Amino acid sequence: MFQRELDNYRDNGFVVLEGFVDEGDCAQLRVRAAEMVQKFDPAEVVSIFSTNEQNRTTDDYFLTSGDKIRFFFEENAFNVDGTLKYEKEKSINKIGHALHDLDPIFERFSRSEKIKDVATAIGITNPLLLQSMYIFKQPNIGGEVTCHQDSTFLYTDPIDIVGLWFALEDATIENGCLWAIPGGHRSGLKSRWVRSNEGMKFDIFDNKPWPEDQLVPLEVSKGSLILLHGLLPHRSFENRSPRSRHAYTLHLISAGANYPADNWLQRSKTMPLRGF
């Protein structure tokens, strides 16, 4: 990374690195995700991913997925009788959350020296790979992701986390690209989603609404990498276009940061976090 890109990341809370992933790697990740979905049997379990706070998934299948590879459906993938509107391959919202540890193709990609160098450049000390997701943003039914900060869900003390968002297809306004509030990472943490005796809950620190009039679209071409500060407010809108918007995401934390036991994403003691 050059100094200009580092300055953009620090000033805006995000930066776009164009051409970071070559065509071959984009294709390989897409093919591998398709193979995994093909082998997945929807009859085993149905878990729907939602970022609407009233509908947020809190089932065990989701909450115990931190060290597993699991499949989550789009909210709008089902008819009223519970059957799928479309074929399985066009109904999955995402795969998560330990692709980087449990699948050799995703692990090779995720633990590249190139990614390690980026993490080091932005100040993530002894980076650990915390979470990975393959996101499909399906045509016609791709659900919105409401405005949020990654540190709400993946909190560290001190806050020392970065999201890496790899565009495996062109991401445009029409098919649901990311939007972000430049400089919004300087406003502090608004909430945390934590485990409690009653289940999952939000601890609210600032209940003012997001200034969504300040959002800017992050339209990027296939192969681009977007770095997202843990406190950056960002979102994506529904995809009602006929084109999908595949992406792969990683979240990295510094080894020295405290990762609390009341975060939703946890791992068994037999699978501790690993670095590069």
Side-chain angles (χ1 to χ4, degrees):
M1 291 179 66
F2 298 107
Q3 189 61 48
R4 181 183 64 183
E5 294 162 331
L6 287 172
D7 290 343
N8 285 342
Y9 177 75
R10 291 165 182 156
D11 291 344
N12 294 319
F14 66 88
V15 68
V16 175
L17 305 179
E18 296 180 357
F20 189 89
V21 183
D22 65 36
E23 175 73 30
D25 280 340
C26 286
Q28 186 179 50
L29 294 187
R30 289 193 60 192
V31 168
R32 181 57 183 149
E35 292 172 347
M36 297 170 80
V37 171
Q38 184 63 38
K39 293 177 181 178
F40 169 61
D41 182 2
E44 296 175 4
V45 64
V46 172
S47 184
I48 298 171
F49 181 74
S50 172
T51 65
N52 183 295
E53 292 184 12
Q54 284 70 43
N55 299 330
R56 183 172 294 279
T57 302
T58 55
D59 58 81
D60 286 341
Y61 183 79
F62 179 86
L63 292 175
T64 59
S65 63
D67 53 6
K68 299 176 180 66
I69 295 176
R70 289 184 170 168
F71 301 79
F72 304 93
F73 285 93
E74 293 280 3
E75 280 189 277
N76 295 317
F78 296 90
N79 295 304
V80 293
D81 62 359
T83 58
L84 287 173
K85 295 178 181 177
Y86 306 96
E87 61 267 31
K88 173 181 61 176
E89 291 77 9
K90 297 296 184 182
S91 303
I92 296 291
N93 171 283
K94 70 173 183 175
I95 308 172
H97 291 93
L99 290 160
H100 60 284
D101 280 330
L102 297 177
D103 182 82
I105 291 175
F106 281 96
E107 180 170 25
R108 180 197 63 78
F109 177 87
S110 303
R111 287 192 158 86
S112 71
E113 284 297 316
K114 195 174 180 181
I115 292 175
K116 181 181 179 181
D117 289 345
V118 167
T120 301
I122 62 175
I124 302 294
T125 308
N126 297 321
L128 299 175
L129 282 68
L130 174 63
Q131 173 186 253
S132 53
M133 296 181 290
Y134 190 99
I135 303 170
F136 293 85
K137 202 73 168 182
Q138 299 284 5
N140 305 309
I141 62 168
E144 73 169 334
V145 176
T146 56
C147 200
H148 68 285
Q149 298 165 301
D150 288 344
S151 289
T152 290
F153 305 100
L154 303 170
Y155 177 78
T156 64
D157 183 18
I159 291 175
D160 201 1
I161 183 171
V162 61
L164 292 84
W165 195 94
F166 302 92
L168 304 182
E169 297 182 300
D170 293 348
T172 67
I173 291 175
E174 287 73 25
N175 71 347
C177 69
L178 294 182
W179 294 65
I181 299 176
H185 63 302
R186 292 191 291 269
S187 298
L189 185 65
K190 287 176 68 70
S191 65
R192 277 193 64 205
W193 199 49
V194 297
R195 294 175 182 259
S196 69
N197 293 334
E198 295 76 36
M200 300 302 303
K201 67 172 186 175
F202 280 94
D203 284 343
I204 306 297
F205 312 127
D206 177 1
N207 60 9
K208 295 192 298 293
W210 294 110
E212 295 204 26
D213 60 321
Q214 298 177 23
L215 285 163
V216 298
L218 305 183
E219 293 188 289
V220 296
S221 58
K222 178 171 63 175
S224 297
L225 165 60
I226 305 177
L227 299 178
L228 304 166
H229 190 284
L231 291 176
L232 178 74
H234 61 285
R235 66 164 300 159
S236 66
F237 292 91
E238 296 176 328
N239 180 14
R240 294 296 174 259
S241 81
R243 297 185 298 111
S244 59
R245 192 226 63 191
H246 288 212
Y248 178 60
T249 70
L250 280 172
H251 285 91
L252 310 180
I253 63 173
S254 290
N258 175 47
Y259 186 80
D262 60 356
N263 277 341
W264 83 265
L265 187 142
Q266 299 294 331
R267 287 180 161 226
S268 67
K269 293 181 180 179
T270 60
M271 192 187 288
L273 297 180
R274 295 190 292 118
F276 290 83

